[in-house]
Amino acid sequence: MEAHKGKILQVCNQVSKGTLMETLDIEYVDVGENFLTARMPVGPKVYQPDGVLHGGATVALAESVGSAASYIFLDGNEFFIRGLEISANHVKGIKEGFVYAKAAIIHKGRTTQLWEIKVTNENGELISNCKLTTIALPKKK
């Protein structure tokens, strides 16, 4: 994995061009044997009206990194990856800096996968804890 880390991150960031991930300035920054990490800047673009990070933007970050992780770890050339369900518990607000979302696999089934995505601030403090279920649908040959 370490030998391919740079290429994997480059591909993840490249396929985000022209998508919601680009709109939210999401950047994939780390990958390992069973995880993928992305970051998103916190500022007015992702605020709710009272000037803190919007929970919907947090969930968009979490689903983006979880779905990208499924694509990486399940051979995206063979499968379409889609999110089935996502839940989030927001435990701390943030007004500036970056949030980091680390998707780690809990269950890697042939059809469905379960991901835990911890969203933290730059100090490693938990902002949100998310759970994402994805499905892998075979591409027709």
mmCIF file of all heavy atoms in Angstrom, residues 60-86:
data_model
loop_
_atom_site.group_PDB
_atom_site.id
_atom_site.type_symbol
_atom_site.label_atom_id
_atom_site.label_comp_id
_atom_site.label_asym_id
_atom_site.label_seq_id
_atom_site.Cartn_x
_atom_site.Cartn_y
_atom_site.Cartn_z
ATOM 1 N N ALA A 60 -21.604 15.317 4.111
ATOM 2 C CA ALA A 60 -21.110 15.221 2.728
ATOM 3 C C ALA A 60 -19.641 14.807 2.717
ATOM 4 O O ALA A 60 -19.232 13.975 1.895
ATOM 5 C CB ALA A 60 -21.303 16.547 1.998
ATOM 6 N N LEU A 61 -18.849 15.358 3.615
ATOM 7 C CA LEU A 61 -17.444 14.957 3.740
ATOM 8 C C LEU A 61 -17.348 13.485 4.114
ATOM 9 O O LEU A 61 -16.592 12.724 3.503
ATOM 10 C CB LEU A 61 -16.748 15.832 4.792
ATOM 11 C CG LEU A 61 -15.345 15.395 5.222
ATOM 12 C CD1 LEU A 61 -14.363 15.442 4.061
ATOM 13 C CD2 LEU A 61 -14.866 16.260 6.390
ATOM 14 N N ALA A 62 -18.117 13.066 5.111
ATOM 15 C CA ALA A 62 -18.070 11.674 5.572
ATOM 16 C C ALA A 62 -18.479 10.701 4.469
ATOM 17 O O ALA A 62 -17.814 9.687 4.242
ATOM 18 C CB ALA A 62 -18.969 11.500 6.799
ATOM 19 N N GLU A 63 -19.566 11.000 3.761
ATOM 20 C CA GLU A 63 -20.005 10.087 2.702
ATOM 21 C C GLU A 63 -19.006 10.066 1.549
ATOM 22 O O GLU A 63 -18.756 9.018 0.946
ATOM 23 C CB GLU A 63 -21.394 10.430 2.183
ATOM 24 C CG GLU A 63 -21.853 9.422 1.145
ATOM 25 C CD GLU A 63 -23.356 9.292 1.015
ATOM 26 O OE1 GLU A 63 -24.106 9.936 1.758
ATOM 27 O OE2 GLU A 63 -23.773 8.515 0.140
ATOM 28 N N SER A 64 -18.407 11.200 1.259
ATOM 29 C CA SER A 64 -17.403 11.254 0.189
ATOM 30 C C SER A 64 -16.208 10.369 0.503
ATOM 31 O O SER A 64 -15.768 9.584 -0.341
ATOM 32 C CB SER A 64 -16.938 12.699 -0.022
ATOM 33 O OG SER A 64 -18.008 13.500 -0.459
ATOM 34 N N VAL A 65 -15.678 10.481 1.706
ATOM 35 C CA VAL A 65 -14.485 9.695 2.045
ATOM 36 C C VAL A 65 -14.829 8.212 2.206
ATOM 37 O O VAL A 65 -14.053 7.344 1.800
ATOM 38 C CB VAL A 65 -13.750 10.274 3.274
ATOM 39 C CG1 VAL A 65 -14.486 10.011 4.565
ATOM 40 C CG2 VAL A 65 -12.333 9.736 3.371
ATOM 41 N N GLY A 66 -16.001 7.901 2.759
ATOM 42 C CA GLY A 66 -16.394 6.493 2.893
ATOM 43 C C GLY A 66 -16.627 5.828 1.547
ATOM 44 O O GLY A 66 -16.201 4.695 1.309
ATOM 45 N N SER A 67 -17.292 6.531 0.643
ATOM 46 C CA SER A 67 -17.530 5.977 -0.697
ATOM 47 C C SER A 67 -16.229 5.830 -1.476
ATOM 48 O O SER A 67 -16.026 4.829 -2.171
ATOM 49 C CB SER A 67 -18.510 6.863 -1.467
ATOM 50 O OG SER A 67 -19.778 6.824 -0.864
ATOM 51 N N ALA A 68 -15.334 6.809 -1.352
ATOM 52 C CA ALA A 68 -14.035 6.704 -2.027
ATOM 53 C C ALA A 68 -13.237 5.534 -1.468
ATOM 54 O O ALA A 68 -12.570 4.809 -2.214
ATOM 55 C CB ALA A 68 -13.258 8.010 -1.885
ATOM 56 N N ALA A 69 -13.314 5.320 -0.161
ATOM 57 C CA ALA A 69 -12.615 4.185 0.450
ATOM 58 C C ALA A 69 -13.160 2.867 -0.091
ATOM 59 O O ALA A 69 -12.400 1.944 -0.404
ATOM 60 C CB ALA A 69 -12.732 4.245 1.968
ATOM 61 N N SER A 70 -14.481 2.760 -0.218
ATOM 62 C CA SER A 70 -15.070 1.553 -0.808
ATOM 63 C C SER A 70 -14.547 1.333 -2.218
ATOM 64 O O SER A 70 -14.197 0.211 -2.599
ATOM 65 C CB SER A 70 -16.600 1.653 -0.846
ATOM 66 O OG SER A 70 -17.165 1.386 0.394
ATOM 67 N N TYR A 71 -14.487 2.396 -2.986
ATOM 68 C CA TYR A 71 -13.990 2.309 -4.363
ATOM 69 C C TYR A 71 -12.553 1.773 -4.380
ATOM 70 O O TYR A 71 -12.212 0.897 -5.174
ATOM 71 C CB TYR A 71 -14.062 3.692 -5.005
ATOM 72 C CG TYR A 71 -13.598 3.736 -6.442
ATOM 73 C CD1 TYR A 71 -14.470 3.400 -7.475
ATOM 74 C CD2 TYR A 71 -12.302 4.097 -6.774
ATOM 75 C CE1 TYR A 71 -14.056 3.437 -8.803
ATOM 76 C CE2 TYR A 71 -11.884 4.137 -8.090
ATOM 77 C CZ TYR A 71 -12.750 3.802 -9.097
ATOM 78 O OH TYR A 71 -12.336 3.823 -10.397
ATOM 79 N N ILE A 72 -11.713 2.278 -3.488
ATOM 80 C CA ILE A 72 -10.311 1.855 -3.426
ATOM 81 C C ILE A 72 -10.176 0.398 -2.997
ATOM 82 O O ILE A 72 -9.471 -0.384 -3.616
ATOM 83 C CB ILE A 72 -9.513 2.740 -2.441
ATOM 84 C CG1 ILE A 72 -9.384 4.155 -2.980
ATOM 85 C CG2 ILE A 72 -8.139 2.147 -2.142
ATOM 86 C CD1 ILE A 72 -8.908 5.152 -1.947
ATOM 87 N N PHE A 73 -10.859 0.030 -1.923
ATOM 88 C CA PHE A 73 -10.654 -1.278 -1.321
ATOM 89 C C PHE A 73 -11.488 -2.386 -1.937
ATOM 90 O O PHE A 73 -11.315 -3.546 -1.590
ATOM 91 C CB PHE A 73 -10.872 -1.202 0.193
ATOM 92 C CG PHE A 73 -9.870 -0.306 0.875
ATOM 93 C CD1 PHE A 73 -10.254 0.886 1.453
ATOM 94 C CD2 PHE A 73 -8.524 -0.646 0.895
ATOM 95 C CE1 PHE A 73 -9.325 1.720 2.063
ATOM 96 C CE2 PHE A 73 -7.589 0.189 1.498
ATOM 97 C CZ PHE A 73 -7.988 1.366 2.083
ATOM 98 N N LEU A 74 -12.398 -2.040 -2.876
ATOM 99 C CA LEU A 74 -13.240 -3.056 -3.503
ATOM 100 C C LEU A 74 -13.051 -3.147 -5.010
ATOM 101 O O LEU A 74 -13.859 -3.768 -5.671
ATOM 102 C CB LEU A 74 -14.713 -2.775 -3.211
ATOM 103 C CG LEU A 74 -15.130 -2.950 -1.769
ATOM 104 C CD1 LEU A 74 -16.539 -2.429 -1.570
ATOM 105 C CD2 LEU A 74 -15.041 -4.405 -1.356
ATOM 106 N N ASP A 75 -12.049 -2.548 -5.568
ATOM 107 C CA ASP A 75 -11.790 -2.569 -7.000
ATOM 108 C C ASP A 75 -12.898 -1.870 -7.771
ATOM 109 O O ASP A 75 -13.807 -2.501 -8.309
ATOM 110 C CB ASP A 75 -11.576 -3.983 -7.533
ATOM 111 C CG ASP A 75 -11.103 -3.984 -8.983
ATOM 112 O OD1 ASP A 75 -10.924 -2.892 -9.564
ATOM 113 O OD2 ASP A 75 -10.910 -5.072 -9.544
ATOM 114 N N GLY A 76 -12.814 -0.556 -7.799
ATOM 115 C CA GLY A 76 -13.796 0.271 -8.482
ATOM 116 C C GLY A 76 -13.907 0.014 -9.964
ATOM 117 O O GLY A 76 -14.850 0.471 -10.600
ATOM 118 N N ASN A 77 -12.973 -0.720 -10.544
ATOM 119 C CA ASN A 77 -13.087 -1.077 -11.958
ATOM 120 C C ASN A 77 -14.144 -2.153 -12.170
ATOM 121 O O ASN A 77 -14.689 -2.281 -13.253
ATOM 122 C CB ASN A 77 -11.739 -1.554 -12.505
ATOM 123 C CG ASN A 77 -10.719 -0.444 -12.508
ATOM 124 O OD1 ASN A 77 -11.032 0.696 -12.841
ATOM 125 N ND2 ASN A 77 -9.500 -0.766 -12.112
ATOM 126 N N GLU A 78 -14.432 -2.917 -11.112
ATOM 127 C CA GLU A 78 -15.393 -4.017 -11.202
ATOM 128 C C GLU A 78 -16.784 -3.638 -10.677
ATOM 129 O O GLU A 78 -17.759 -4.285 -11.016
ATOM 130 C CB GLU A 78 -14.875 -5.227 -10.419
ATOM 131 C CG GLU A 78 -13.599 -5.823 -10.970
ATOM 132 C CD GLU A 78 -13.819 -6.531 -12.303
ATOM 133 O OE1 GLU A 78 -14.870 -7.176 -12.471
ATOM 134 O OE2 GLU A 78 -12.934 -6.417 -13.166
ATOM 135 N N PHE A 79 -16.846 -2.621 -9.808
ATOM 136 C CA PHE A 79 -18.089 -2.297 -9.111
ATOM 137 C C PHE A 79 -18.420 -0.809 -9.175
ATOM 138 O O PHE A 79 -17.537 0.029 -9.196
ATOM 139 C CB PHE A 79 -17.987 -2.677 -7.621
ATOM 140 C CG PHE A 79 -17.751 -4.130 -7.376
ATOM 141 C CD1 PHE A 79 -16.466 -4.601 -7.143
ATOM 142 C CD2 PHE A 79 -18.796 -5.031 -7.377
ATOM 143 C CE1 PHE A 79 -16.240 -5.942 -6.899
ATOM 144 C CE2 PHE A 79 -18.577 -6.372 -7.137
ATOM 145 C CZ PHE A 79 -17.299 -6.836 -6.909
ATOM 146 N N PHE A 80 -19.723 -0.515 -9.177
ATOM 147 C CA PHE A 80 -20.221 0.822 -8.872
ATOM 148 C C PHE A 80 -20.405 0.856 -7.365
ATOM 149 O O PHE A 80 -20.967 -0.087 -6.796
ATOM 150 C CB PHE A 80 -21.596 1.084 -9.521
ATOM 151 C CG PHE A 80 -21.567 1.154 -11.014
ATOM 152 C CD1 PHE A 80 -22.104 0.127 -11.775
ATOM 153 C CD2 PHE A 80 -21.036 2.260 -11.656
ATOM 154 C CE1 PHE A 80 -22.102 0.188 -13.157
ATOM 155 C CE2 PHE A 80 -21.025 2.336 -13.045
ATOM 156 C CZ PHE A 80 -21.555 1.296 -13.791
ATOM 157 N N ILE A 81 -19.977 1.903 -6.708
ATOM 158 C CA ILE A 81 -20.148 2.037 -5.266
ATOM 159 C C ILE A 81 -21.212 3.102 -5.018
ATOM 160 O O ILE A 81 -21.143 4.205 -5.573
ATOM 161 C CB ILE A 81 -18.826 2.448 -4.578
ATOM 162 C CG1 ILE A 81 -17.691 1.481 -4.924
ATOM 163 C CG2 ILE A 81 -19.035 2.586 -3.071
ATOM 164 C CD1 ILE A 81 -17.906 0.050 -4.509
ATOM 165 N N ARG A 82 -22.177 2.775 -4.176
ATOM 166 C CA ARG A 82 -23.232 3.726 -3.820
ATOM 167 C C ARG A 82 -23.439 3.687 -2.312
ATOM 168 O O ARG A 82 -23.365 2.631 -1.699
ATOM 169 C CB ARG A 82 -24.557 3.374 -4.512
ATOM 170 C CG ARG A 82 -24.502 3.398 -6.020
ATOM 171 C CD ARG A 82 -24.307 4.815 -6.559
ATOM 172 N NE ARG A 82 -24.322 4.863 -7.990
ATOM 173 C CZ ARG A 82 -23.234 4.897 -8.758
ATOM 174 N NH1 ARG A 82 -22.050 4.879 -8.216
ATOM 175 N NH2 ARG A 82 -23.335 4.967 -10.065
ATOM 176 N N GLY A 83 -23.751 4.849 -1.750
ATOM 177 C CA GLY A 83 -24.105 4.911 -0.338
ATOM 178 C C GLY A 83 -25.541 4.456 -0.149
ATOM 179 O O GLY A 83 -26.423 4.843 -0.916
ATOM 180 N N LEU A 84 -25.772 3.615 0.861
ATOM 181 C CA LEU A 84 -27.125 3.161 1.183
ATOM 182 C C LEU A 84 -27.716 3.928 2.353
ATOM 183 O O LEU A 84 -28.877 4.301 2.336
ATOM 184 C CB LEU A 84 -27.125 1.671 1.557
ATOM 185 C CG LEU A 84 -26.952 0.668 0.446
ATOM 186 C CD1 LEU A 84 -26.930 -0.736 1.028
ATOM 187 C CD2 LEU A 84 -28.068 0.792 -0.564
ATOM 188 N N GLU A 85 -26.884 4.140 3.367
ATOM 189 C CA GLU A 85 -27.376 4.816 4.567
ATOM 190 C C GLU A 85 -26.206 5.491 5.260
ATOM 191 O O GLU A 85 -25.095 4.948 5.299
ATOM 192 C CB GLU A 85 -28.018 3.812 5.521
ATOM 193 C CG GLU A 85 -28.550 4.436 6.781
ATOM 194 C CD GLU A 85 -29.207 3.447 7.727
ATOM 195 O OE1 GLU A 85 -29.062 2.232 7.542
ATOM 196 O OE2 GLU A 85 -29.865 3.906 8.666
ATOM 197 N N ILE A 86 -26.468 6.662 5.829
ATOM 198 C CA ILE A 86 -25.459 7.353 6.616
ATOM 199 C C ILE A 86 -26.131 7.945 7.843
ATOM 200 O O ILE A 86 -27.274 8.396 7.781
ATOM 201 C CB ILE A 86 -24.711 8.438 5.802
ATOM 202 C CG1 ILE A 86 -23.507 8.957 6.595
ATOM 203 C CG2 ILE A 86 -25.638 9.535 5.337
ATOM 204 C CD1 ILE A 86 -22.474 9.690 5.768
#
